[in-house]
Amino acid sequence: MAGISKPCIKLNNATKEFQSGNDVVKALDNVSLEIYPGELIVVLGESGSGKSTLLNIIGCMDELTNGKIEAFGKDITNLSEKERTNYRREDVGFVFQDYHLMPELSAIENVEFIAELVKNPLSSKEMIKAVGLEAEEKRFPGQLSGGQQQRVAIARALVKNPKIILADEPTAALDFRSAKEVLSVLVDVIRKEEKKGGDKDNNKTALVIVTHNREISKIADRVVIMKNGCIEEIVKRDDYCSVDSLEW
């Protein structure tokens, strides 16, 4: 990325193997990738291509079999379980296809619960406002649409003030209109947000979206195309599209 010298995430020959009966399956096969602060990356691929495994490795939800991963200037390849938990809690915001909200808590309470777990949270009220749910903040997940629930999930990710947001198929369970609303919220974070302190470029939040939907790749700075556990191609987009222009 122009003007930015250091990647926030760096994978070197990252390999993840799984045992399947008598066979060994390489979900990731010698993947090398750099992600920069403030960058919006879309990881594109069919089911089984390795894209979700890549996300799980970056988020320390899974461990490498071989290779190395660095995050924010630190080697995180062989962290202890406690260190992995701290990394996920403080540095990473997660947005999943299944919203993972607590049904007994209201929208604002879901966000406040996460805010209480981290050292330097943002305002829960402001994050609910950022995702456009001020009027629904007292409602419980069961009283919200799928798109609204996903926006609460985004608010929970944002309130942590993370260095990177990892979104795994965040629109797959949504109708077209709700999907575009959710994408707009995520993209606004990357395109408009200026984080506090330090060099403004290197303190921006990175966003990685995993999807099988090629149309969504049009909003990215770079598109990482995966196949059979490998990066098949990386496409740099200087002419990324607005979410409003997407059609599928």
Side-chain angles (χ1 to χ4, degrees):
M1 298 289 289
I4 300 176
S5 58
K6 293 183 179 180
C8 57
I9 302 290
K10 185 174 183 179
L11 293 100
N12 289 318
N13 300 319
T15 297
K16 178 61 181 180
E17 297 177 348
F18 295 100
Q19 194 74 32
S20 178
N22 294 323
D23 299 323
V24 175
V25 177
K26 285 189 176 181
L28 287 184
D29 189 0
N30 287 309
V31 167
S32 294
L33 177 67
E34 294 182 350
I35 300 170
Y36 291 84
E39 186 174 27
L40 197 170
I41 283 185
V42 168
V43 181
L44 189 65
E46 300 301 323
S47 177
S49 63
K51 60 187 188 299
S52 289
T53 302
L54 175 64
L55 208 71
N56 289 342
I57 291 296
I58 295 172
C60 259
M61 293 182 289
D62 213 338
E63 297 181 73
L64 287 174
T65 305
N66 290 298
K68 182 179 180 181
I69 177 169
E70 297 176 16
F72 316 110
K74 297 177 64 175
D75 188 339
I76 63 168
T77 312
N78 297 303
L79 297 181
S80 67
E81 189 54 44
K82 181 179 180 181
E83 290 170 329
R84 289 159 61 84
T85 298
N86 287 338
Y87 167 75
R88 291 192 298 263
R89 178 182 295 154
E90 297 294 337
D91 294 336
V92 186
F94 295 98
V95 181
F96 300 102
Q97 179 178 342
D98 299 320
Y99 321 120
H100 291 260
L101 302 180
M102 287 170 280
E104 70 279 9
L105 300 181
S106 67
I108 187 66
E109 288 170 342
N110 263 280
V111 179
E112 289 170 341
F113 177 83
I114 298 300
E116 291 172 359
L117 298 178
V118 299
K119 294 177 182 177
N120 298 299
L122 300 176
S123 163
S124 297
K125 283 276 190 182
E126 287 299 314
M127 293 307 99
I128 283 289
K129 183 178 179 180
V131 300
L133 290 178
E134 309 100 297
E136 288 81 20
E137 68 173 35
K138 300 297 184 182
R139 293 181 179 270
F140 293 93
Q143 298 172 312
L144 301 173
S145 69
Q148 289 172 331
Q149 289 184 65
Q150 190 62 294
R151 282 191 273 162
V152 176
I154 292 170
R156 294 200 333 164
L158 295 178
V159 80
K160 297 167 68 175
N161 199 15
K163 297 176 182 177
I164 188 168
I165 296 174
L166 305 178
D168 192 358
E169 297 280 8
T171 64
L174 304 176
D175 61 75
F176 176 66
R177 180 178 176 181
S178 296
K180 290 182 74 169
E181 289 176 354
V182 163
L183 285 174
S184 292
V185 172
L186 283 169
V187 170
D188 282 349
V189 174
I190 303 307
R191 303 293 186 212
K192 297 179 180 178
E193 179 199 46
E194 292 291 344
K195 298 189 74 178
K196 297 178 180 179
D199 177 79
K200 68 176 183 179
D201 287 330
N202 284 294
N203 280 278
K204 287 183 179 178
T205 302
L207 170 62
V208 181
I209 300 175
V210 159
T211 184
H212 64 276
N213 187 337
R214 288 187 172 273
E215 187 72 6
I216 292 175
S217 69
K218 294 179 180 179
I219 67 175
D221 296 309
R222 285 190 296 153
V223 184
V224 177
I225 302 171
M226 296 197 68
K227 186 176 182 180
N228 298 326
C230 300
I231 293 178
E232 186 175 57
E233 185 180 5
I234 298 178
V235 179
K236 188 177 186 299
R237 298 185 62 95
D238 294 321
D239 57 343
Y240 59 78
C241 297
S242 68
V243 173
D244 287 341
S245 70
L246 301 184
E247 296 289 345
W248 68 82

